[in-house]
Amino acid sequence: MPAVNSTLYDAATGGFVCDFIQRLPTTDTGKAFKLYAWQVSAIMDFYSTMDVDEDTREQMRHYWYLYLEVPKKNGKSELAAALGIYHLFADGELNAEVYVCAADKENAGIVFNAAVFMLTTARWTAKMIARGELHIVESRKLIEYRRKVITANGGSKWVVLGIMKVLSSEAYSKHGYKPSCVIFDELHAQPNRDLWDVMTFGSGSGRKQPVYIVLTTAGDDPDRGSIGWEIHEKAVGVRDARQLKKVLAEGGDPRGILSLRHAADEDLAAAEQELLGRDLSNWLPILYGLTAVYGDDPDDLAKLDIWDEALWYQCNPSLGQHLKIRTLRLEAQEAKKSEAGEKLFRWLRLNQWISVKTVGWVPLTIYDKTQWPPKDAETDNALPGPERRRAARELLRGKRCYGGLDLSKRTDLTAFVLLFPPQKGLDTWVTLYWGIWRPEIGTEDAEKRDHVPYRDWARAGFLTLCPGDTIDYDMVEESIFEAAEVFELIMLGADPHLSWTLIPRLQKGQSERGRAGINCIETPQDMKNMSPAMHEMEKEIRDHKMLHEHNTCARWNFGNVRCRTDGNENIKPMKNLSTGRIDVTVAWINSKITAMIDMANAKPYDTENLGEDWGL
């Protein structure tokens, strides 16, 4: 029978790591590192939990990944530097390769400079530097651990036994790393996922117990599409899965677990099973902050009194020690004076994932709450996705709607969206993502570039791959005429760019097939035309009066939107500022522009459903 591994807790191993770190000085005092209680707990759990091979009795670390998410000024970068030094020459790894990864050269220097200070200031490591055993190359942000050996001719030479090197996303190679330890400082600040993938995907396969340590704060990530948010969500899933196992074993309430807080009663059992599947045995997640504890739902976060000092202590494990309460009180006093100040306080002091650098639109958490049909609709929500979509669309057969079209040639998506206004049998606006297209050729490269599974989406029916390397406008035209046969398509709006050939064909109709022409208008993509529709849509979405069918590709587009704004709070979506494709959302906005223009010209309109304050 194969050997069975067992797990034990070896306090001596974790205690050694703590003792090592506390023999190093900190940069703020120059005195010996004094680990805080939460840091000791994290280090002991990570380094003391061991797997034991029943045959060889060899002990190896149970955890490979340590994820620490804490607000700023809780001693994170100092800890990163100290752990890097430990893994350089004290962990017992032969030919150690320790990499500290940062977003840019400036951030990379923070941890490196802290490590250099520790090594040159502590007497025992300063002696190692003097003897040549530690060699610091500041120009390359490199520290070498060396040993002098006797050569065959009686001379001597230095042999490198380990390196500690700082890498930034601006300067690293794609291959050649065999890390024994990777430390990511401020993962949320990484501009893309490339450095994470290079340093974690298979890079430690040659090591028995590689270590990947993430020390990060919450990010400024409006669309929740960064590698920082992805790993945050993974860590939350691991933590919550273990909490659920404990709750189920003890007979507690699973609703107290963050990931299950908003699961519908009928979906709870399935949600529990999905959550249990998110556990990863070699991960140790430790998270502090508003998003980690209360989630990303704006409604949940709005209920919190962020000026309550008890909440500050809950979010900041080093508050009262490394971080002084007086500092937070003064910062809170200033933060109360403006919305921007409050956002910064939430982000930097309470570790809430937020958007402060860019102008986003409607958060995905709000978008996700406006899915159609609602749970009490006639459509059976238990049906598979494609059947559910067909059934939901059947509910709208024959109803009035407006079309929005956004065209492209190659790399962008082309999208045709239908927007149904409130009418008999329909109390809210409803959006159907009727057609989304992209060229089939180049899809694999596009998946790598955009980091989304276009082919999976196509198989699920969320988009269509056009044969060749361009959008097939005949397919788009046919789909629009099919929509006009199923629904009462009142008017279609399209960006004048690229639509000059298709629009005349749509207006002309298809006499050979008995299809009448479609009423089309231009919807210029400028702030004057787009801002009123976007503000109206935002209000309706937030009030749950603008619903949409589920489409994963469309959801991704919506989350990517970044806007330009002016001094009068006018906005428009900007493809060059957005984090990915936004074409489906632009088509949706075009449908709303079309509806507003038509309704403004039509008398009377339905004030009961639209609301008395409706206007263009």
Side-chain angles (χ1 to χ4, degrees), residues 10-193:
D10 182 5
T13 303
F16 176 78
V17 181
C18 291
D19 291 343
F20 178 91
I21 292 174
Q22 292 183 129
R23 294 186 66 200
L24 296 170
T26 61
T27 59
D28 54 348
T29 66
K31 298 179 181 179
F33 212 121
K34 185 178 180 180
L35 290 169
Y36 303 123
W38 71 272
Q39 294 173 324
V40 172
S41 176
I43 291 170
M44 291 297 293
D45 284 349
F46 185 76
Y47 289 95
S48 293
T49 307
M50 312 294 289
D51 286 336
V52 183
D53 187 280
E54 294 293 342
D55 286 340
T56 65
R57 305 306 300 170
E58 184 180 16
Q59 294 186 12
M60 307 299 291
R61 273 188 292 269
H62 176 76
Y63 296 118
W64 288 13
Y65 289 84
L66 173 62
Y67 182 88
L68 283 169
E69 183 174 302
V70 293
K72 290 184 180 295
K73 302 302 181 184
N74 278 273
K76 176 180 52 58
S77 295
E78 298 266 314
L79 183 60
L83 287 171
I85 294 172
Y86 167 79
H87 281 280
L88 172 62
F89 63 84
D91 192 48
E93 185 76 26
L94 183 63
N95 295 319
E97 292 185 27
V98 181
Y99 297 100
V100 180
C101 300
D104 51 44
K105 293 179 181 178
E106 182 178 352
N107 285 336
I110 295 174
V111 176
F112 178 77
N113 293 337
V116 170
F117 177 87
M118 292 175 183
L119 292 175
T120 55
T121 305
R123 289 185 178 181
W124 62 284
T125 50
K127 290 179 180 179
M128 294 175 68
I129 294 173
R131 293 193 298 264
E133 295 171 6
L134 289 175
H135 178 57
I136 299 172
V137 186
E138 297 208 23
S139 61
R140 297 172 56 197
K141 289 187 169 53
L142 171 69
I143 302 171
E144 294 178 337
Y145 173 51
R146 312 187 300 180
R147 179 179 298 167
K148 183 174 286 189
V149 298
I150 305 301
T151 61
N153 60 6
S156 64
K157 67 176 182 178
W158 288 106
V159 175
V160 177
L161 302 178
I163 65 167
M164 176 180 172
K165 184 172 178 58
V166 178
L167 302 175
S168 74
S169 60
E170 303 166 332
Y172 73 95
S173 64
K174 296 289 186 183
H175 307 287
Y177 302 111
K178 297 178 181 178
S180 54
C181 174
V182 179
I183 300 174
F184 269 89
D185 184 43
E186 301 293 20
L187 179 62
H188 75 88
Q190 287 289 323
N192 51 54
R193 64 178 304 121

Side-chain angles (χ1 to χ4, degrees), residues 80 123 170 213 259 286 294 296 317 388 414 428 431 451 513 579:
R123 289 185 178 181
E170 303 166 332
I213 300 173
S259 295
I286 301 170
Y294 297 98
D296 199 35
R388 186 168 66 249
T414 282
T428 64
T431 305
H451 308 295
R513 303 183 65 175
T579 58

Side-chain angles (χ1 to χ4, degrees), residues 440-458:
E440 184 173 22
I441 293 179
T443 300
E444 186 173 353
D445 291 338
E447 288 180 335
K448 295 176 182 178
R449 180 189 65 241
D450 296 340
H451 308 295
V452 291
Y454 285 121
R455 287 171 294 182
D456 287 347
W457 288 347

Side-chain angles (χ1 to χ4, degrees), residues 224-397:
R224 305 298 190 255
S226 66
I227 184 61
W229 177 257
E230 177 184 323
I231 303 306
H232 162 90
E233 285 285 85
K234 180 178 287 189
V236 169
V238 173
R239 179 199 66 185
D240 288 2
R242 293 174 189 170
Q243 289 179 0
L244 178 60
K245 290 177 184 178
K246 184 177 180 181
V247 166
L248 293 177
E250 298 175 353
D253 181 9
R255 291 291 187 185
I257 298 171
L258 178 63
S259 295
L260 301 176
R261 195 170 296 175
H262 294 295
D265 291 340
E266 62 269 28
D267 297 334
L268 183 58
E272 289 180 0
Q273 291 303 309
E274 189 275 333
L275 180 57
L276 291 172
R278 294 172 66 183
D279 192 9
L280 298 168
S281 61
N282 63 347
W283 276 67
L284 177 61
I286 301 170
L287 303 96
Y288 295 90
L290 292 185
T291 307
V293 176
Y294 297 98
D296 199 35
D297 189 301
D299 294 338
D300 290 343
L301 294 170
K303 298 174 184 175
L304 300 174
D305 178 9
I306 66 167
W307 315 117
D308 181 0
E309 293 187 2
L311 185 64
W312 301 354
Y313 279 98
Q314 183 183 14
C315 293
N316 293 273
S318 299
L319 184 55
Q321 301 173 90
H322 192 85
L323 180 62
K324 303 303 180 184
I325 187 65
R326 181 175 182 271
T327 300
L328 258 67
R329 287 170 179 163
L330 292 173
E331 291 181 349
Q333 181 178 312
E334 187 66 28
K336 291 178 181 179
K337 295 180 180 179
S338 69
E339 181 180 350
E342 179 181 328
K343 282 188 175 182
L344 286 172
F345 190 81
R346 286 176 174 271
W347 180 29
L348 302 179
R349 290 293 175 252
L350 303 182
N351 224 35
Q352 178 180 335
W353 286 74
I354 204 164
S355 169
V356 294
K357 295 179 182 176
T358 57
V359 179
W361 194 26
V362 182
L364 273 175
T365 48
I366 294 177
Y367 172 91
D368 288 340
K369 293 181 178 181
T370 56
Q371 188 167 314
W372 186 88
K375 291 294 183 183
D376 60 352
E378 297 176 13
T379 303
D380 183 358
N381 285 275
L383 289 173
E387 293 182 31
R388 186 168 66 249
R389 284 198 299 276
R390 284 193 292 270
R393 293 177 179 202
E394 190 64 29
L395 292 174
L396 297 172
R397 177 177 289 274

